[in-house]
């Protein structure tokens, strides 16, 4: 390859974005979370399309700032961030790598059944819901009746 | 045929002002709820509603075309410019009354947003698609709470019945129509409000039956909020809180 590359490839850019942590749950990346919907070069401008998790998610502006900072740090000078509402974000877009990282961190990953599958601490299945909402808009609070530990559950939407 | 922009603006203000005013009301509980879990739940609900407001009023500001933003519409209009239904501006009362109001609103919101996802206006459809998911979650929680408290202790039952008796006469306004609604219906932008009533009655009836609560008798319906004809005295008091910072320090930003 030539020494000077002004336009990094899209695979490379996805890799860089996969290194940007979610500001509220830093064990998973923005790519794992499924909120980066598209990355494309338009002439010499890189256009990154992001969708919000929840309408009022206070992290949205921080997320945009983090993307901006990361990509500029890799030398991308012309960058445009687009917000896209439709199709609305769904937890189905969280990657398998992201789901495993969530559970490792103590957050039960989303399940179509609407509740956690097992306790992220002891894998117990004797669970109860404490509250439909949690410390961030995307989480609910549950408790394991086996190990008695409370834990966050990533809401399925 | 071109959509009447003035009427579209009016429709968007009605959607956005409902979520803005209710979002602010619910946020008043932050730090005051009976238990921590409920405090967090109320704050999260408020956050969703304010987020939806940003989309509705953001679009409203664009349609208005005077260079204003969602924030300008939220913080720099006076009470008579607001187009929310009276239900959402009523004071919180006790926790039960707040959750009863939330349920009566969530039930309507979940039904209309679902219908709006098929709007002929793609912006309206995409905002509704996003908000509908949140509304579905909200109504699940507020239904559970209304059932839990209604079919709870003698005291909680009494308070929930009192809340329902007080709030129910404000529900009818959600289903009224005027020339704005007629235009929205004709253009396929929004459903005729009256057409939502059967689904609403079915949902509310089912939850209230489980909650062992009775709908109050009488067909009287308070109105005037969504047309801007007349708000309750409560809205002005609320705005003095909500708008204080931008009024005292115009243009202040983070
Ligand atoms: Zn456990």
């Amino acid at each position: 390859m030539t020494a000077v590359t002004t336009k990094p490839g899209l695979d490379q850019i996805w890799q860089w974005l996969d290194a940007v942590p979610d500001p509220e749950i830093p064990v998973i990346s923005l790519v794992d979370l499924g909120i980066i919907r598209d990355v494309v070069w338009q002439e010499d401008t890189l256009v990154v399309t992001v969708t919000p998790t929840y309408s009022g998610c206070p992290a949205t502006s921080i997320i945009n700032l983090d993307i901006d900072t990361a990509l500029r740090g890799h030398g991308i000078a012309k960058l445009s961030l687009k917000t896209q509402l439709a199709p609305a974000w769904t937890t189905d877009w969280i990657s398998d790598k992201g789901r495993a990282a969530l559970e490792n961190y103590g957050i039960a990953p989303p399940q179509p059944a609407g509740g956690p599958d097992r306790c992220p601490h002891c894998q117990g299945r004797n669970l109860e819901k404490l509250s439909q909402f949690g410390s961030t808009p995307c989480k609910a609070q549950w408790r394991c009746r086996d190990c008695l530990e409370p834990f966050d559950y990533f809401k399925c939407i | 045929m071109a959509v009447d922009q003035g009427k579209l603006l009016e429709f968007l203000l009605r959607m956005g002002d409902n979520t803005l005013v209710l979002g602010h009301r619910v946020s008043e509980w932050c730090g005051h709820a009976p238990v921590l879990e409920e405090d967090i739940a109320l704050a999260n609900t408020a956050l969703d509603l304010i987020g939806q407001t940003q989309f509705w009023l953001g679009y409203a500001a664009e349609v208005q075309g005077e260079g204003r933003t969602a924030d300008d519409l939220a913080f720099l209009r006076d009470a008579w410019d607001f187009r929310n239904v009276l239900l959402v501006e009523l004071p919180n009362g006790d926790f039960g009354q707040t959750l009863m109001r939330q349920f009566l609103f969530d039930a309507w919101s979940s039904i209309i947003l679902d219908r709006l996802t098929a709007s002929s206006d793609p912006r309206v459809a995409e905002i509704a698609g996003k908000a509908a998911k949140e509304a579905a979650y909200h109504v699940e929680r507020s239904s559970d709470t209304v059932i839990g408290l209604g079919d709870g202790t003698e005291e909680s039952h009494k308070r929930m019945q009192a809340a329902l008796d007080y709030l129910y006469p404000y529900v009818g306004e959600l289903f009224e129509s005027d020339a704005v609604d007629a235009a929205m219906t004709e253009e396929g932008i929004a459903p005729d409000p009256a057409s939502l009533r059967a689904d609403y009655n079915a949902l509310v009836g089912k939850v209230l039956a489980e909650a062992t609560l009775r709908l109050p008798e009488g067909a009287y319906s308070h109105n005037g909020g969504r047309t801007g004809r007349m708000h309750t005295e409560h809205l002005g008091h609320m705005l003095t809180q909500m708008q204080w910072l931008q009024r005292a320090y115009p243009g202040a930003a983070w």
Side-chain angles (χ1 to χ4, degrees):
Chain A
M1 298 297 286
T2 49
V4 182
T5 311
T6 48
K7 261 164 71 165
L10 294 178
D11 283 355
Q12 175 67 71
I13 290 160
W14 278 103
Q15 266 182 36
W16 287 337
L17 289 170
D18 197 28
V20 182
D22 174 73
E24 286 181 333
I25 312 169
V27 291
I28 81 170
S29 79
L30 299 181
V31 173
D32 285 331
L33 193 56
I35 61 171
I36 312 276
R37 301 315 301 157
D38 195 27
V39 180
V40 66
W41 283 105
Q42 282 177 6
E43 314 267 297
D44 56 351
T45 300
L46 183 69
V47 182
V48 178
T49 305
V50 185
T51 195
T53 51
Y54 286 81
S55 300
C57 183
T60 305
S61 57
I62 305 291
I63 286 171
N64 285 349
L65 185 69
D66 288 350
I67 293 172
D68 192 272
T69 307
L71 293 179
R72 285 188 200 286
H74 287 292
I76 308 256
K78 285 197 171 177
L79 177 65
S80 160
L81 290 180
K82 257 176 45 185
T83 300
Q84 176 182 296
L85 287 189
W89 178 75
T90 154
T91 39
D92 296 347
W93 293 344
I94 298 179
S95 69
D96 288 344
K97 171 162 83 75
R99 294 174 63 87
L102 283 175
E103 190 167 20
N104 240 335
Y105 186 60
I107 301 173
Q111 302 292 344
D117 186 39
R118 58 184 186 187
C119 167
H121 306 300
C122 77
Q123 278 72 53
R125 294 184 187 268
N126 190 7
L127 313 172
E128 65 176 335
K129 181 167 72 181
L130 294 179
S131 172
Q132 253 174 299
F133 289 87
S135 54
T136 67
C138 56
K139 286 178 275 172
Q141 295 175 72
W142 284 66
R143 175 164 48 208
C144 173
R145 290 205 192 95
D146 290 342
C147 70
L148 303 179
E149 286 291 326
F151 62 90
D152 276 333
Y153 164 63
F154 206 107
K155 291 168 3 189
C156 185
I157 71 164
Chain B
M1 200 171 78
V3 181
D4 181 326
Q5 294 296 291
K7 291 201 170 75
L8 176 59
L9 170 63
E10 196 72 10
F11 166 73
L12 295 170
L13 289 175
R14 289 173 179 183
M15 293 303 294
D17 286 345
N18 278 343
T19 49
L20 171 62
V21 171
L22 185 59
H24 184 84
R25 274 287 183 234
V26 174
S27 80
E28 291 171 357
W29 275 99
C30 194
H32 301 280
V35 291
L36 183 61
E37 285 77 8
E38 292 305 328
D39 203 284
I40 291 170
L42 287 162
N44 272 298
T45 304
L47 203 57
D48 284 342
L49 292 169
I50 301 294
Q52 294 167 16
T53 303
Q54 286 175 333
F55 296 137
W56 291 123
L57 293 188
Y59 186 26
E62 281 176 45
V63 169
Q64 190 179 38
E66 293 174 10
R68 297 212 268 177
T69 65
D71 280 346
D72 293 335
L73 291 176
F75 296 121
L76 302 176
R77 283 179 301 151
D78 214 331
W80 46 78
D81 297 321
F82 275 74
R83 294 293 182 265
N84 57 282
V85 292
L86 302 180
L87 174 71
V88 296
E89 70 194 43
L90 298 175
N92 287 334
D94 61 16
F95 178 73
Q97 184 177 315
T98 295
L99 265 296
M100 179 59 81
R101 183 187 58 198
Q102 190 68 36
F103 168 65
L104 294 172
F105 178 81
D106 289 343
W108 171 81
S109 170
S110 62
I111 292 166
I112 191 172
L113 289 173
D114 216 39
R115 301 276 287 272
L116 288 175
T117 57
S119 172
S120 64
D121 182 322
R123 288 285 296 278
V124 170
E126 70 176 28
I127 295 170
K130 186 80 201 155
K133 289 185 156 199
E134 294 160 0
Y137 202 76
H138 293 171
V139 73
E140 194 185 314
R141 170 176 177 271
S142 56
S143 306
D144 282 354
T145 316
V146 163
I147 292 167
L149 291 173
D151 188 20
T153 65
E154 197 180 322
E155 177 69 17
S156 73
H157 175 85
K158 197 178 79 189
R159 290 202 193 197
M160 292 311 273
Q161 185 62 56
L164 181 61
D165 292 346
Y166 172 58
L167 295 170
Y168 199 71
Y170 290 90
V171 163
E173 189 182 9
L174 291 164
F175 304 98
E176 289 175 3
S177 341
D178 60 9
V180 172
D181 300 294
M184 292 304 105
T185 308
E186 191 172 331
E187 299 291 340
I189 293 173
D192 174 10
S195 72
L196 310 172
R197 188 81 209 226
D199 285 356
Y200 185 84
N201 287 350
L203 173 55
V204 168
K206 183 175 152 289
V207 169
L208 292 183
E210 246 191 278
T212 70
L213 297 170
R214 271 182 315 102
L215 279 183
E217 284 170 22
Y220 185 76
S221 179
H222 298 279
N223 60 19
R226 74 195 295 275
T227 60
R229 182 178 58 80
M230 191 169 62
H231 282 277
T232 66
E233 64 177 304
H234 308 296
L235 180 64
H237 289 280
M238 198 200 92
L239 295 185
T240 61
Q241 293 286 316
M242 191 182 86
Q243 298 182 332
W244 175 82
L245 193 112
Q246 283 302 322
R247 300 290 191 175
Y249 303 96
W254 291 102

